[in-house]
Amino acid sequence: MRELLNICRNELKKLKRQKTARMLWAVGILIPTFGTLLCIKNHYPFRNLVGANVLFGSFLVIPFVFSAMLLNLFELEERNHTLKNILVIGVPEWKIFLSKLAAALVIVVVFVGIITAYTIAGGMFLRNYIPDAFHIFSIFLITSLCSVCAAMPVVLLIILLRKRNLIAMIAINCFILIDFLFLWQLSMFHCLEMHLPVLAAYRITYPLTIIEYTDNLQLGLDTLYYPMDKGILLLGTTAAASLAISLWLYNRQEADV
């Protein structure tokens, strides 16, 4: 366990020196600014700001940053030829794979904290502000983790296309944008009848995101709610299958090098 943590720490240190990683940090920090300023400008209630940051933050920015950071870690491995040196000292491939995944998840938690800070700051200018930072952080963290689990097939794309990083980035962005399009148009394309992981992730977390409940939200709650047990099973199966196949492909590719 300690060895895995040390490898994860080293993976995070690699990102500190990368221009790509710094650009991703800028994207993740700036995008929530627009939603927050929009809500302040239009004097929306605080719940609208929370909902906007859940939609654009947890289900768009977070999956994009997670996948892009993870791809960057694999790209660094290819560019610097560091994997062979690590394998020589006896570190198994699965620990390297999981350490990269853990590093990307640590960055997700950091971005959740950033989105929470934006939300709390914006809430001070809006109506019905609820200054419960822990509650807000929990909402964003749970929805973000569900979103990441729903988008876990991008790990398959990363492993399959890791030697063609530009194509991998385009494919990953298309995957996430299509997912977000389904989420954005829930009432169209018969999306409410679909059982796609990203839709299940949003619909099982929807009740959690209603920070200020009113009676007129009951219709939306009844329409969007997805059974928790089925949703978690779908997300868990998606994440487990994606990780298992990705790890198998990762080990197989390195065996051929």
Short mmCIF file of all heavy atoms in Angstrom, two decimals, residues 212-255:
data_model
loop_
_atom_site.label_atom_id
_atom_site.label_comp_id
_atom_site.label_asym_id
_atom_site.label_seq_id
_atom_site.Cartn_x
_atom_site.Cartn_y
_atom_site.Cartn_z
N GLU A 212 -32.50 23.27 -2.04
CA GLU A 212 -33.63 23.99 -1.41
C GLU A 212 -34.91 23.40 -2.01
O GLU A 212 -35.31 23.74 -3.12
CB GLU A 212 -33.55 25.49 -1.71
CG GLU A 212 -34.68 26.28 -1.08
CD GLU A 212 -34.87 27.62 -1.75
OE1 GLU A 212 -34.08 27.95 -2.65
OE2 GLU A 212 -35.82 28.32 -1.39
N TYR A 213 -35.52 22.50 -1.29
CA TYR A 213 -36.66 21.77 -1.83
C TYR A 213 -37.95 22.59 -1.73
O TYR A 213 -38.24 23.18 -0.70
CB TYR A 213 -36.85 20.44 -1.10
CG TYR A 213 -37.91 19.57 -1.73
CD1 TYR A 213 -37.61 18.75 -2.81
CD2 TYR A 213 -39.23 19.61 -1.28
CE1 TYR A 213 -38.57 17.98 -3.41
CE2 TYR A 213 -40.21 18.83 -1.87
CZ TYR A 213 -39.87 18.02 -2.93
OH TYR A 213 -40.84 17.27 -3.54
N THR A 214 -38.70 22.61 -2.84
CA THR A 214 -40.02 23.23 -2.85
C THR A 214 -40.99 22.28 -3.53
O THR A 214 -40.59 21.39 -4.28
CB THR A 214 -40.01 24.57 -3.61
OG1 THR A 214 -39.49 24.35 -4.94
CG2 THR A 214 -39.13 25.60 -2.91
N ASP A 215 -42.29 22.48 -3.32
CA ASP A 215 -43.29 21.55 -3.83
C ASP A 215 -43.29 21.46 -5.35
O ASP A 215 -43.58 20.41 -5.92
CB ASP A 215 -44.69 21.97 -3.35
CG ASP A 215 -44.85 21.77 -1.84
OD1 ASP A 215 -44.09 20.96 -1.28
OD2 ASP A 215 -45.73 22.42 -1.25
N ASN A 216 -42.98 22.57 -6.02
CA ASN A 216 -43.02 22.55 -7.48
C ASN A 216 -41.89 21.74 -8.10
O ASN A 216 -41.85 21.53 -9.31
CB ASN A 216 -43.02 23.96 -8.05
CG ASN A 216 -41.74 24.70 -7.73
OD1 ASN A 216 -40.98 24.27 -6.87
ND2 ASN A 216 -41.50 25.81 -8.39
N LEU A 217 -40.94 21.27 -7.27
CA LEU A 217 -39.87 20.42 -7.77
C LEU A 217 -40.25 18.94 -7.73
O LEU A 217 -39.50 18.09 -8.21
CB LEU A 217 -38.59 20.64 -6.96
CG LEU A 217 -37.91 22.00 -7.15
CD1 LEU A 217 -36.76 22.15 -6.16
CD2 LEU A 217 -37.38 22.13 -8.57
N GLN A 218 -41.39 18.62 -7.12
CA GLN A 218 -41.77 17.23 -6.98
C GLN A 218 -41.97 16.55 -8.34
O GLN A 218 -41.58 15.39 -8.52
CB GLN A 218 -43.08 17.12 -6.17
CG GLN A 218 -43.48 15.68 -5.84
CD GLN A 218 -42.47 15.00 -4.93
OE1 GLN A 218 -42.10 15.54 -3.90
NE2 GLN A 218 -42.00 13.83 -5.34
N LEU A 219 -42.55 17.27 -9.30
CA LEU A 219 -42.75 16.70 -10.62
C LEU A 219 -41.42 16.35 -11.27
O LEU A 219 -41.25 15.25 -11.85
CB LEU A 219 -43.53 17.68 -11.51
CG LEU A 219 -43.78 17.22 -12.96
CD1 LEU A 219 -44.60 15.93 -12.98
CD2 LEU A 219 -44.50 18.32 -13.75
N GLY A 220 -40.47 17.27 -11.18
CA GLY A 220 -39.15 17.00 -11.74
C GLY A 220 -38.47 15.85 -11.04
O GLY A 220 -37.79 15.03 -11.67
N LEU A 221 -38.63 15.78 -9.73
CA LEU A 221 -38.04 14.69 -8.96
C LEU A 221 -38.61 13.35 -9.39
O LEU A 221 -37.88 12.37 -9.59
CB LEU A 221 -38.28 14.93 -7.47
CG LEU A 221 -37.66 13.92 -6.50
CD1 LEU A 221 -36.15 13.94 -6.62
CD2 LEU A 221 -38.08 14.23 -5.08
N ASP A 222 -39.92 13.29 -9.53
CA ASP A 222 -40.57 12.04 -9.93
C ASP A 222 -40.18 11.64 -11.35
O ASP A 222 -40.07 10.45 -11.67
CB ASP A 222 -42.10 12.19 -9.85
CG ASP A 222 -42.58 12.38 -8.42
OD1 ASP A 222 -41.83 11.99 -7.49
OD2 ASP A 222 -43.69 12.91 -8.23
N THR A 223 -39.97 12.64 -12.22
CA THR A 223 -39.66 12.36 -13.62
C THR A 223 -38.22 11.88 -13.78
O THR A 223 -37.94 10.93 -14.52
CB THR A 223 -39.88 13.61 -14.47
OG1 THR A 223 -41.24 14.04 -14.34
CG2 THR A 223 -39.59 13.32 -15.94
N LEU A 224 -37.29 12.55 -13.09
CA LEU A 224 -35.88 12.28 -13.30
C LEU A 224 -35.33 11.18 -12.40
O LEU A 224 -34.28 10.61 -12.71
CB LEU A 224 -35.06 13.56 -13.08
CG LEU A 224 -35.15 14.62 -14.17
CD1 LEU A 224 -34.34 15.84 -13.75
CD2 LEU A 224 -34.64 14.08 -15.49
N TYR A 225 -36.00 10.87 -11.31
CA TYR A 225 -35.41 9.92 -10.36
C TYR A 225 -35.22 8.55 -10.99
O TYR A 225 -36.10 8.03 -11.66
CB TYR A 225 -36.28 9.81 -9.11
CG TYR A 225 -35.71 8.83 -8.11
CD1 TYR A 225 -34.55 9.14 -7.40
CD2 TYR A 225 -36.31 7.59 -7.89
CE1 TYR A 225 -34.01 8.25 -6.50
CE2 TYR A 225 -35.77 6.70 -6.99
CZ TYR A 225 -34.62 7.02 -6.29
OH TYR A 225 -34.09 6.12 -5.41
N TYR A 226 -34.06 7.98 -10.75
CA TYR A 226 -33.73 6.63 -11.22
C TYR A 226 -33.48 5.78 -9.98
O TYR A 226 -32.81 6.22 -9.06
CB TYR A 226 -32.47 6.68 -12.09
CG TYR A 226 -32.20 5.44 -12.89
CD1 TYR A 226 -32.69 5.31 -14.19
CD2 TYR A 226 -31.47 4.38 -12.37
CE1 TYR A 226 -32.44 4.18 -14.94
CE2 TYR A 226 -31.22 3.25 -13.11
CZ TYR A 226 -31.70 3.15 -14.39
OH TYR A 226 -31.46 2.02 -15.13
N PRO A 227 -34.01 4.56 -9.93
CA PRO A 227 -33.83 3.72 -8.73
C PRO A 227 -32.38 3.63 -8.30
O PRO A 227 -31.50 3.30 -9.11
CB PRO A 227 -34.39 2.36 -9.17
CG PRO A 227 -35.39 2.70 -10.23
CD PRO A 227 -34.82 3.89 -10.95
N MET A 228 -32.12 3.94 -7.05
CA MET A 228 -30.76 4.00 -6.55
C MET A 228 -30.01 2.68 -6.72
O MET A 228 -28.86 2.66 -7.17
CB MET A 228 -30.76 4.41 -5.08
CG MET A 228 -29.40 4.50 -4.44
SD MET A 228 -28.42 5.89 -5.07
CE MET A 228 -29.28 7.26 -4.30
N ASP A 229 -30.67 1.57 -6.39
CA ASP A 229 -29.98 0.29 -6.46
C ASP A 229 -29.59 -0.07 -7.89
O ASP A 229 -28.47 -0.51 -8.16
CB ASP A 229 -30.83 -0.82 -5.83
CG ASP A 229 -32.24 -0.87 -6.41
OD1 ASP A 229 -32.62 0.07 -7.14
OD2 ASP A 229 -32.95 -1.86 -6.14
N LYS A 230 -30.52 0.14 -8.83
CA LYS A 230 -30.22 -0.14 -10.23
C LYS A 230 -29.15 0.80 -10.77
O LYS A 230 -28.27 0.40 -11.55
CB LYS A 230 -31.48 -0.03 -11.08
CG LYS A 230 -32.53 -1.10 -10.79
CD LYS A 230 -33.72 -0.94 -11.70
CE LYS A 230 -34.78 -2.01 -11.41
NZ LYS A 230 -35.96 -1.85 -12.29
N GLY A 231 -29.22 2.07 -10.36
CA GLY A 231 -28.24 3.05 -10.83
C GLY A 231 -26.83 2.72 -10.35
O GLY A 231 -25.88 2.75 -11.14
N ILE A 232 -26.69 2.39 -9.08
CA ILE A 232 -25.37 2.05 -8.53
C ILE A 232 -24.84 0.78 -9.17
O ILE A 232 -23.64 0.67 -9.47
CB ILE A 232 -25.45 1.92 -7.00
CG1 ILE A 232 -25.74 3.29 -6.38
CG2 ILE A 232 -24.16 1.34 -6.44
CD1 ILE A 232 -25.91 3.26 -4.88
N LEU A 233 -25.73 -0.20 -9.39
CA LEU A 233 -25.31 -1.43 -10.06
C LEU A 233 -24.81 -1.14 -11.46
O LEU A 233 -23.77 -1.67 -11.89
CB LEU A 233 -26.48 -2.42 -10.11
CG LEU A 233 -26.21 -3.75 -10.85
CD1 LEU A 233 -25.09 -4.52 -10.15
CD2 LEU A 233 -27.48 -4.58 -10.95
N LEU A 234 -25.51 -0.28 -12.19
CA LEU A 234 -25.11 0.07 -13.55
C LEU A 234 -23.77 0.80 -13.56
O LEU A 234 -22.87 0.48 -14.35
CB LEU A 234 -26.19 0.92 -14.21
CG LEU A 234 -25.92 1.40 -15.64
CD1 LEU A 234 -25.74 0.20 -16.56
CD2 LEU A 234 -27.07 2.27 -16.13
N LEU A 235 -23.62 1.78 -12.66
CA LEU A 235 -22.36 2.53 -12.60
C LEU A 235 -21.21 1.64 -12.15
O LEU A 235 -20.11 1.71 -12.70
CB LEU A 235 -22.51 3.71 -11.63
CG LEU A 235 -23.46 4.83 -12.04
CD1 LEU A 235 -23.50 5.90 -10.96
CD2 LEU A 235 -23.06 5.43 -13.37
N GLY A 236 -21.46 0.82 -11.14
CA GLY A 236 -20.41 -0.08 -10.64
C GLY A 236 -19.97 -1.08 -11.69
O GLY A 236 -18.76 -1.34 -11.85
N THR A 237 -20.93 -1.63 -12.42
CA THR A 237 -20.60 -2.59 -13.47
C THR A 237 -19.81 -1.92 -14.59
O THR A 237 -18.82 -2.48 -15.10
CB THR A 237 -21.89 -3.21 -14.06
OG1 THR A 237 -22.62 -3.84 -13.01
CG2 THR A 237 -21.56 -4.23 -15.13
N THR A 238 -20.21 -0.71 -14.96
CA THR A 238 -19.50 0.04 -16.01
C THR A 238 -18.06 0.31 -15.60
O THR A 238 -17.13 0.09 -16.37
CB THR A 238 -20.22 1.37 -16.29
OG1 THR A 238 -21.55 1.10 -16.73
CG2 THR A 238 -19.48 2.16 -17.37
N ALA A 239 -17.89 0.80 -14.36
CA ALA A 239 -16.55 1.14 -13.89
C ALA A 239 -15.68 -0.11 -13.75
O ALA A 239 -14.52 -0.13 -14.19
CB ALA A 239 -16.63 1.88 -12.55
N ALA A 240 -16.23 -1.17 -13.15
CA ALA A 240 -15.45 -2.40 -12.93
C ALA A 240 -15.05 -3.05 -14.25
O ALA A 240 -13.89 -3.46 -14.42
CB ALA A 240 -16.27 -3.38 -12.08
N ALA A 241 -16.00 -3.14 -15.18
CA ALA A 241 -15.68 -3.76 -16.47
C ALA A 241 -14.65 -2.94 -17.24
O ALA A 241 -13.71 -3.49 -17.83
CB ALA A 241 -16.96 -3.91 -17.29
N SER A 242 -14.81 -1.61 -17.21
CA SER A 242 -13.88 -0.74 -17.92
C SER A 242 -12.47 -0.85 -17.35
O SER A 242 -11.48 -0.95 -18.09
CB SER A 242 -14.35 0.71 -17.87
OG SER A 242 -15.61 0.86 -18.48
N LEU A 243 -12.37 -0.84 -16.02
CA LEU A 243 -11.06 -0.93 -15.39
C LEU A 243 -10.41 -2.29 -15.61
O LEU A 243 -9.21 -2.38 -15.86
CB LEU A 243 -11.19 -0.64 -13.89
CG LEU A 243 -11.51 0.80 -13.51
CD1 LEU A 243 -11.69 0.93 -12.01
CD2 LEU A 243 -10.42 1.74 -14.00
N ALA A 244 -11.21 -3.35 -15.52
CA ALA A 244 -10.66 -4.69 -15.69
C ALA A 244 -10.13 -4.88 -17.11
O ALA A 244 -9.01 -5.38 -17.31
CB ALA A 244 -11.73 -5.74 -15.38
N ILE A 245 -10.91 -4.47 -18.10
CA ILE A 245 -10.47 -4.62 -19.50
C ILE A 245 -9.28 -3.70 -19.78
O ILE A 245 -8.34 -4.09 -20.48
CB ILE A 245 -11.64 -4.32 -20.45
CG1 ILE A 245 -12.77 -5.33 -20.23
CG2 ILE A 245 -11.18 -4.37 -21.90
CD1 ILE A 245 -14.03 -4.99 -21.00
N SER A 246 -9.31 -2.48 -19.23
CA SER A 246 -8.21 -1.54 -19.45
C SER A 246 -6.91 -2.07 -18.86
O SER A 246 -5.85 -1.98 -19.49
CB SER A 246 -8.54 -0.18 -18.82
OG SER A 246 -9.66 0.40 -19.43
N LEU A 247 -6.99 -2.63 -17.65
CA LEU A 247 -5.79 -3.17 -17.02
C LEU A 247 -5.25 -4.36 -17.82
O LEU A 247 -4.03 -4.49 -18.01
CB LEU A 247 -6.10 -3.59 -15.59
CG LEU A 247 -4.93 -4.12 -14.76
CD1 LEU A 247 -3.79 -3.12 -14.72
CD2 LEU A 247 -5.39 -4.47 -13.34
N TRP A 248 -6.15 -5.20 -18.31
CA TRP A 248 -5.73 -6.34 -19.13
C TRP A 248 -5.04 -5.87 -20.41
O TRP A 248 -3.98 -6.39 -20.78
CB TRP A 248 -6.95 -7.20 -19.46
CG TRP A 248 -6.62 -8.38 -20.33
CD1 TRP A 248 -5.99 -9.54 -19.98
CD2 TRP A 248 -6.88 -8.49 -21.74
NE1 TRP A 248 -5.85 -10.37 -21.06
CE2 TRP A 248 -6.39 -9.75 -22.17
CE3 TRP A 248 -7.48 -7.64 -22.68
CZ2 TRP A 248 -6.49 -10.18 -23.48
CZ3 TRP A 248 -7.58 -8.08 -24.00
CH2 TRP A 248 -7.10 -9.33 -24.38
N LEU A 249 -5.62 -4.87 -21.07
CA LEU A 249 -5.02 -4.34 -22.29
C LEU A 249 -3.69 -3.67 -22.00
O LEU A 249 -2.73 -3.77 -22.78
CB LEU A 249 -5.97 -3.33 -22.95
CG LEU A 249 -7.22 -3.91 -23.60
CD1 LEU A 249 -8.16 -2.78 -24.04
CD2 LEU A 249 -6.85 -4.77 -24.79
N TYR A 250 -3.61 -2.96 -20.86
CA TYR A 250 -2.39 -2.27 -20.48
C TYR A 250 -1.25 -3.28 -20.29
O TYR A 250 -0.15 -3.11 -20.82
CB TYR A 250 -2.62 -1.50 -19.20
CG TYR A 250 -1.43 -0.75 -18.68
CD1 TYR A 250 -1.00 0.42 -19.29
CD2 TYR A 250 -0.74 -1.19 -17.54
CE1 TYR A 250 0.09 1.11 -18.80
CE2 TYR A 250 0.33 -0.50 -17.05
CZ TYR A 250 0.75 0.64 -17.68
OH TYR A 250 1.83 1.32 -17.20
N ASN A 251 -1.52 -4.35 -19.57
CA ASN A 251 -0.50 -5.38 -19.35
C ASN A 251 -0.11 -6.07 -20.66
O ASN A 251 1.05 -6.36 -20.90
CB ASN A 251 -1.02 -6.43 -18.37
CG ASN A 251 -1.14 -5.88 -16.96
OD1 ASN A 251 -0.44 -4.94 -16.59
ND2 ASN A 251 -2.02 -6.46 -16.17
N ARG A 252 -1.09 -6.30 -21.51
CA ARG A 252 -0.82 -6.97 -22.78
C ARG A 252 0.00 -6.09 -23.70
O ARG A 252 0.94 -6.58 -24.35
CB ARG A 252 -2.15 -7.34 -23.46
CG ARG A 252 -1.95 -8.12 -24.74
CD ARG A 252 -3.27 -8.54 -25.35
NE ARG A 252 -3.08 -9.25 -26.59
CZ ARG A 252 -4.05 -9.71 -27.34
NH1 ARG A 252 -5.32 -9.53 -26.97
NH2 ARG A 252 -3.81 -10.35 -28.47
N GLN A 253 -0.31 -4.81 -23.77
CA GLN A 253 0.45 -3.91 -24.63
C GLN A 253 1.91 -3.82 -24.19
O GLN A 253 2.81 -3.85 -25.00
CB GLN A 253 -0.17 -2.51 -24.63
CG GLN A 253 -1.42 -2.43 -25.48
CD GLN A 253 -1.88 -0.99 -25.66
OE1 GLN A 253 -1.30 -0.07 -25.11
NE2 GLN A 253 -2.95 -0.79 -26.42
N GLU A 254 2.10 -3.73 -22.86
CA GLU A 254 3.47 -3.60 -22.37
C GLU A 254 4.25 -4.90 -22.58
O GLU A 254 5.45 -4.89 -22.75
CB GLU A 254 3.46 -3.22 -20.89
CG GLU A 254 2.92 -1.82 -20.64
CD GLU A 254 3.60 -0.79 -21.49
OE1 GLU A 254 4.81 -0.90 -21.73
OE2 GLU A 254 2.91 0.16 -21.95
N ALA A 255 3.53 -6.02 -22.57
CA ALA A 255 4.20 -7.29 -22.81
C ALA A 255 4.71 -7.40 -24.23
O ALA A 255 5.66 -8.12 -24.52
CB ALA A 255 3.25 -8.44 -22.52
#
